[in-house]
Amino acid sequence: MTDLPQWADLLISFFIVLGASFAFIGSLGLLRLPDFMARLHAPTKNTTLGVGGVVMGSMLYFSVTDAFSLHELLIAIFLFLTAPISAHLLAKAGLHLELELNENTKDLRKKPEQYTDKDS
Amino acid sequence: MTKLIPAPWWSAFLLCFWLLLQNDVSVGTSLLGLILAILIPLYTLRARDYPTTLHRPLLAVQYFLILLVDIVVSNLDIALIILMPRKRIQPALIEFPLDLTGSVPITILASTISLTPGTISAELGRDGRSLLIHALNVQDPEATVQQIKQRYERRLKEIFQC
């Protein structure tokens, strides 16, 4: 563990705490939101900033103490590529299993038959 | 030139990717990266059955930056909804009529929708002309559709010219 200049110390702590809080809020969302589809929103969105914050912290730490370091960016790139796809698949599964939605949900499908797997 | 580098953007992406993976820019790594960036597209080009051309690369960069800002905004947005005790939310399933054609632009639009404020793309219509979106908290669904159209779809249309 090398000594960091104070500004770096503060900045890195800020990013790590930011990332950790967003990851926590995302997990909390899984618990608090009312139905399956709503629950999907929390992990897909908040983990991107959660991981993003930690990645920023790591990039700064290694750039300051060691050599200039950017390969943490790959984690962010892969996350951007995969998070929407897993969300899409989960949403699709939920839709086709016709899971119960929150009673507030407005269903604005004009042609529901377009999105089911039942042959009409 | 086109024979040797059939997909220039892809090759550039692979080179950047390689350098990031090595976490080091030197003559050796760049040279090896360059060789890989030429060989891999040549070998895998046959598997690409979706011809896609990036017509406006600068606009694509702008699109990416807008997306980054929107992701941060959406994170704050969702965090607020989660943390508000017993806040009533108004979810909706919205049909989004697509003007885009082609699998790559539609995939990018669907991913964008999932990453941005309060919406998740749930399903592509059977005829491929509409997307089903689940929105977490909307008062005016029509406005949401218009916003996505203005902000993302219009730009994607220009980038891919489809």
Side-chain angles (χ1 to χ4, degrees), chain B residues 140-153:
Chain B
D140 181 7
E142 193 50 42
T144 309
V145 169
Q146 281 312 316
Q147 199 206 350
I148 294 170
K149 272 212 176 308
Q150 287 301 318
R151 210 170 160 83
Y152 309 115
E153 197 182 25

Side-chain angles (χ1 to χ4, degrees), chain B residues 25-59:
Chain B
V25 182
S26 67
V27 182
T29 52
S30 313
L31 205 65
L32 193 55
L34 208 61
I35 292 170
L36 285 173
I38 290 171
L39 284 186
I40 293 175
L42 277 181
Y43 181 65
T44 53
L45 196 68
R46 283 174 294 172
R48 292 221 303 183
D49 55 353
Y50 43 85
T52 307
T53 334
L54 208 58
H55 288 272
R56 303 278 303 274
L58 278 179
L59 209 64

Side-chain angles (χ1 to χ4, degrees), chain A residues 22 25-26 28-30 32-35 37-42 44-50 68-74 77-81 83-85 87-88 91-92 95-96 101-119, chain B residues 13 17 19-23 64 68 71-72 74-76 78-96 110-132 134-136 138-141:
Chain A
F22 271 97
I25 292 171
L28 196 68
L30 274 179
R32 286 187 55 103
L33 291 170
D35 64 12
M37 293 292 250
R39 281 196 184 112
L40 263 182
H41 286 269
T44 48
K45 299 209 172 63
N46 282 33
T47 50
T48 39
L49 202 59
F68 190 59
S69 163
L70 273 181
H71 67 328
E72 287 91 345
L73 272 184
L74 285 176
I77 292 176
F78 279 122
L79 201 70
F80 280 178
L81 289 178
I85 295 171
H88 183 81
K92 200 169 166 141
L95 199 70
H96 284 243
L101 294 173
N102 184 262
E103 76 271 13
N104 267 343
T105 307
K106 283 188 280 190
D107 193 341
L108 298 166
R109 283 178 283 187
K110 290 184 203 81
K111 295 172 286 179
E113 75 281 359
Q114 282 280 332
Y115 309 102
T116 60
D117 43 12
K118 292 193 188 75
D119 285 313
Chain B
F13 174 75
F17 201 91
L19 290 176
L20 277 177
L21 209 57
Q22 296 295 320
N23 207 12
F64 183 69
L68 273 187
I71 287 171
V72 174
S74 83
N75 271 284
L76 297 174
I78 301 286
L80 212 62
I81 291 177
I82 293 169
L83 291 178
M84 282 290 188
R86 305 274 160 244
K87 191 176 178 228
R88 298 290 285 171
I89 56 169
Q90 177 63 266
L93 283 166
I94 308 169
E95 213 169 85
F96 180 81
S111 304
T112 308
I113 289 170
S114 290
L115 282 172
T116 48
T119 48
I120 275 185
S121 62
E123 178 71 296
L124 180 66
R126 277 193 183 182
D127 53 5
R129 304 300 314 141
S130 58
L131 269 175
L132 187 64
H134 182 268
L136 186 57
V138 281
Q139 310 307 330
D140 181 7

